[in-house]
């Protein structure tokens, strides 16, 4: 089975760019093509898109429903009046791989944004907290399906790419995202062990699975997709039981 059209068409176009500016421009173009000018009012269910308020050094979550607000119900505006495309772009802008976007909120504030992975690369805890506190759900009623991207060996690259790869800021980012993911999952198990959850995020060690955030090789993406499909197959019974 081939990589889905979306991945084949867009991932290489974005990640093969040599500069953060080029990747950011390609990401913005993609977000506009997919979501156009859609706003958060158009969502038919509660949704949260996690980003980071870079200036305040705290999470910033774009939400669709007033019931999801934490103590700011009176001033709540879906998505802070930003477009879905803007929220997705902010959530995906992993600095220094991408430039940090600046968005204008409903209050007229210009906010310097960063990738949501800096505060919650695995946002499961945020979702559970919303359900229990803002929405008032009972713990026994919750079902959590958490999808990760897996862990992989570090790839070998040509000389120039290796030189870029050795930059401490770039390597630190990937380590930060990985540690964040693991710590969030560990906390979920400790704090919400009683909530029925399924986590799918496999670890791979074979050399052919070596990859990183900069991956744009179609053959490698095809391999990753196939292994992802196999990973789901191993958890299919758990997922079906979760959703019944």
């Amino acid at each position: 089975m081939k990589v889905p059209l979306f991945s084949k068409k867009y991932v290489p176009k974005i990640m093969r760019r040599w500069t953060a500016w080029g990747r950011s421009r390609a990401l913005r173009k993609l977000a506009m093509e997919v979501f156009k000018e859609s706003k958060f009012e158009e969502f038919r269910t509660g949704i949260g898109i996690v980003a980071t308020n870079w200036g305040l050094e705290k999470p910033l979550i774009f939400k669709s429903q007033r019931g999801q607000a934490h103590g700011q119900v009176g001033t709540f505006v879906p998505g802070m009046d930003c477009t879905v495309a803007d929220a997705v772009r902010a959530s995906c802008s992993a600095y220094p791989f991408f430039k940090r976007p600046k968005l204008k909120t409903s209050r007229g504030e210009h906010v310097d944004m960063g990738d949501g992975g800096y505060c919650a690369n695995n946002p499961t805890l945020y979702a559970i907290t919303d359900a229990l506190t803002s929405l008032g759900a009972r713990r026994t009623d919750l079902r959590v399906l958490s999808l990760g991207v897996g862990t992989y060996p570090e790839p070998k690259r040509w000389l120039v790419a290796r030189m870029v790869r050795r930059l401490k800021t770039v390597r630190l980012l990937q380590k930060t995202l990985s540690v964040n993911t693991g710590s969030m999952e560990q906390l979920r198990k400790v704090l919400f062990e009683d909530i029925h959850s399924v986590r799918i995020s496999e670890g791979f060690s074979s050399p052919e699975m070596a990859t990183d955030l900069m991956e744009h090789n179609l053959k490698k993406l095809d391999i990753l997709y196939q292994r992802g499909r196999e990973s789901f197959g191993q958890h299919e019974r758990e997922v079906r039981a979760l959703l019944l």
Side-chain angles (χ1 to χ4, degrees):
M1 180 179 291
K2 298 297 183 180
V3 179
L5 178 61
F6 187 87
S7 298
K8 291 184 65 175
K9 183 176 180 180
Y10 292 114
V11 170
K13 286 185 177 180
I14 296 174
M15 301 313 297
R16 70 161 56 107
R17 307 297 178 101
W18 279 94
T19 66
W21 182 87
R23 287 188 286 272
S24 295
R25 183 180 181 184
L27 177 61
R28 179 170 186 167
K29 181 180 179 181
L30 170 60
M32 289 299 298
E33 286 182 15
V34 174
F35 300 105
K36 300 181 172 55
E37 295 295 333
S38 297
K39 291 290 193 75
F40 278 74
E41 292 90 341
E42 298 178 41
F43 283 111
R44 297 184 180 181
T45 186
I47 189 171
I49 298 178
V50 181
T52 300
N53 186 320
W54 195 266
L56 297 181
E57 299 180 348
K58 60 188 297 185
L60 192 156
I61 307 178
F62 299 86
K63 298 181 178 182
S64 59
Q65 297 182 358
R66 189 180 301 275
Q68 296 171 271
H70 290 272
Q72 299 182 15
V73 176
T75 59
F76 178 83
V77 176
M80 290 171 283
D81 203 36
C82 295
T83 65
V84 177
D86 283 340
V88 169
R89 185 163 56 92
S91 182
C92 295
S93 294
Y95 177 81
F97 289 111
F98 292 84
K99 301 291 288 184
R100 297 194 304 273
K102 289 181 171 57
L103 303 183
K104 185 177 181 180
T105 69
S106 56
R107 299 178 182 179
E109 301 168 341
H110 294 272
V111 183
D112 191 10
M113 306 295 296
D115 192 293
Y118 281 104
C119 55
N121 201 44
N122 172 6
T124 305
L125 283 180
Y126 287 12
I128 293 176
T129 301
D130 261 10
L132 294 177
T133 59
S134 297
L135 302 179
R138 295 181 300 179
R139 296 169 77 103
T140 53
D141 292 334
L142 294 186
R143 299 291 183 271
V144 177
L145 177 59
S146 177
L147 304 179
V149 297
T151 57
Y152 309 88
E154 185 174 331
K156 296 180 179 179
R157 298 196 181 276
W158 299 105
L159 178 60
V160 175
R162 287 204 305 269
M163 292 173 63
V164 174
R165 180 85 176 103
R166 287 174 183 165
L167 289 174
K168 289 185 178 179
T169 52
V170 174
R171 301 190 71 175
L172 179 60
L173 169 62
Q174 296 200 158
K175 180 62 69 174
T176 298
L177 298 181
S178 179
V179 171
N180 186 294
T181 298
S183 62
M184 285 287 188
E185 178 60 12
Q186 187 174 6
L187 279 173
R188 181 197 65 78
K189 290 179 179 179
V190 172
L191 298 175
F192 303 110
E193 184 181 10
D194 58 313
I195 293 178
H196 193 180
S197 305
V198 173
R199 170 73 174 170
I200 303 178
S201 186
E202 303 296 327
F204 302 97
S205 59
S206 55
E208 67 269 17
M209 296 298 291
T211 189
D212 60 15
L213 292 174
M214 304 298 290
E215 189 62 69
H216 58 266
N217 183 291
L218 283 175
K219 290 183 178 180
K220 177 58 66 65
L221 292 172
D222 192 36
I223 294 174
L224 296 177
Y225 175 73
Q226 292 177 40
R227 293 302 295 270
R229 183 159 49 92
E230 293 175 2
S231 177
F232 171 78
Q234 296 174 10
H235 295 273
E236 186 172 3
R237 288 186 179 180
E238 292 179 80
V239 173
R240 289 185 180 278
L242 177 78
L243 301 178
L244 288 178

